[in-house]
Amino acid sequence: MTAPFLLTLPRLHAELVPPTEGCLTLWPGLPRRPESAWAPAMPWSASMAASCLADYERAGRDGASGSPVLTMSAESAPADLSPAERRALREMAGLPAEEPEQPLRLTAQQVLLLIWLQEKQALDMAELEKKISDSRRTLSGLISGVTRKGSSPALPAESDLPDWRKVLPAALAFLPDMPEPSSILVSCPAMAAALAELDAVQEENAPAGYRALRIRVPDVAALCGRAAHDRLMRGLDNDQWQRTLTFLLPGPCA
């Protein structure tokens, strides 16, 4: 018997998700996909996705060094980013998309690549801060003669991670690839709180430590803003748009 499909959102890196048996992360189409990640049919190949990610990383480095990268206004982005990459950056910045509108899955993959990069940078920064803290602790121990235990694993604060409202609609663009029934394990407190406010049906037999809510896709999409809601409504066929998903929210059953 096939195990139920269980995907975690909005976090894409496994390090940011509570370990749960059988739970998959969403993979944005890069090379070397881990076994614990699920990859829907992406419009770009792994090599093209890696090239796009390299463009974003270079743009970030240029911005950090003072070079103009993206004004986040009506002005154009730098010439070394493709029009598709510029559209994805505008999407992440909450700006109106440039016309013509590109296919839903293409925009979604580009946004997921940006999200993946932002998470990776947050993880790298947290690890660097941990190393500095551990180094100071070791030095202090040498001076005082008191040995102190190492710190806990380095994880970024929620405020340093991408907004879940950007991740969720990008993930829902690949809804047709998710088998039925599908469950989403929510790995962000803010997203869990927003979903908990919806008028949803609570399921029985949720995993220990979670409560399961059945929520319609239009209701979920509405939480992400009018632009994301309308784009998904146009891009998904009616059967997919009217689907109901099970969301697993941290916390005991009511």
Side-chain angles (χ1 to χ4, degrees), residues 164-165 168 191 194-195 197-198 215 218-225 229:
W164 64 270
R165 292 180 180 85
L168 185 54
M191 178 176 164
L195 291 170
E197 293 294 321
L198 296 177
I215 307 176
D219 296 333
V220 176
L223 295 175
C224 303
H229 175 279

Side-chain angles (χ1 to χ4, degrees), residues 7 9-14 25-34 37-53 56 105-120 167 170-171 174:
L7 182 71
L9 291 173
R11 305 304 171 216
L12 306 185
H13 284 74
T25 54
L26 176 57
W27 190 248
L30 292 165
R32 298 181 295 278
R33 175 178 66 89
W38 173 69
M42 293 285 183
W44 276 350
S45 66
S47 60
M48 291 176 66
S51 178
C52 177
L53 185 69
Y56 291 148
R105 284 190 177 225
L106 182 55
T107 297
Q109 184 178 13
Q110 292 158 355
V111 169
L112 290 175
L113 287 167
L114 278 167
I115 295 294
W116 194 91
L117 177 60
Q118 287 183 331
E119 287 187 358
K120 180 178 181 296
V167 190
F174 300 98

Side-chain angles (χ1 to χ4, degrees), residues 38-93:
W38 173 69
M42 293 285 183
W44 276 350
S45 66
S47 60
M48 291 176 66
S51 178
C52 177
L53 185 69
D55 286 345
Y56 291 148
E57 288 179 310
R58 183 177 64 253
R61 288 193 301 269
D62 289 346
S65 65
S67 301
V69 176
L70 183 67
T71 62
M72 298 303 178
S73 68
E75 299 176 20
S76 60
D80 63 343
L81 290 181
S82 71
E85 291 166 349
R86 290 198 298 270
R87 279 193 290 268
L89 283 170
R90 292 179 65 84
E91 174 107 358
M92 285 292 295

Side-chain angles (χ1 to χ4, degrees), residues 79-204:
D80 63 343
L81 290 181
S82 71
E85 291 166 349
R86 290 198 298 270
R87 279 193 290 268
L89 283 170
R90 292 179 65 84
E91 174 107 358
M92 285 292 295
L95 297 172
E98 297 172 344
E99 294 297 334
E101 187 174 279
Q102 63 183 0
L104 177 65
R105 284 190 177 225
L106 182 55
T107 297
Q109 184 178 13
Q110 292 158 355
V111 169
L112 290 175
L113 287 167
L114 278 167
I115 295 294
W116 194 91
L117 177 60
Q118 287 183 331
E119 287 187 358
K120 180 178 181 296
Q121 290 173 337
L123 284 164
D124 289 345
M125 184 59 67
E127 180 60 30
L128 177 60
E129 291 173 351
K130 178 181 181 296
K131 288 181 179 179
I132 294 173
S133 177
D134 288 348
S135 182
R136 287 175 175 169
R137 184 180 296 104
T138 300
L139 181 59
S140 176
L142 289 173
I143 295 172
S144 65
V146 178
T147 303
R148 293 177 173 85
K149 294 182 179 180
S151 58
S152 58
L155 290 177
E158 278 292 322
S159 57
D160 295 328
L161 294 170
D163 185 351
W164 64 270
R165 292 180 180 85
K166 304 297 183 183
V167 190
L168 185 54
L172 290 176
F174 300 98
L175 191 62
D177 292 13
M178 299 181 192
E180 295 195 59
S182 291
S183 296
I184 309 295
L185 187 149
V186 180
S187 52
C188 167
M191 178 176 164
L195 291 170
E197 293 294 321
L198 296 177
D199 183 15
V201 176
Q202 182 162 302
E203 290 185 343
E204 298 181 357

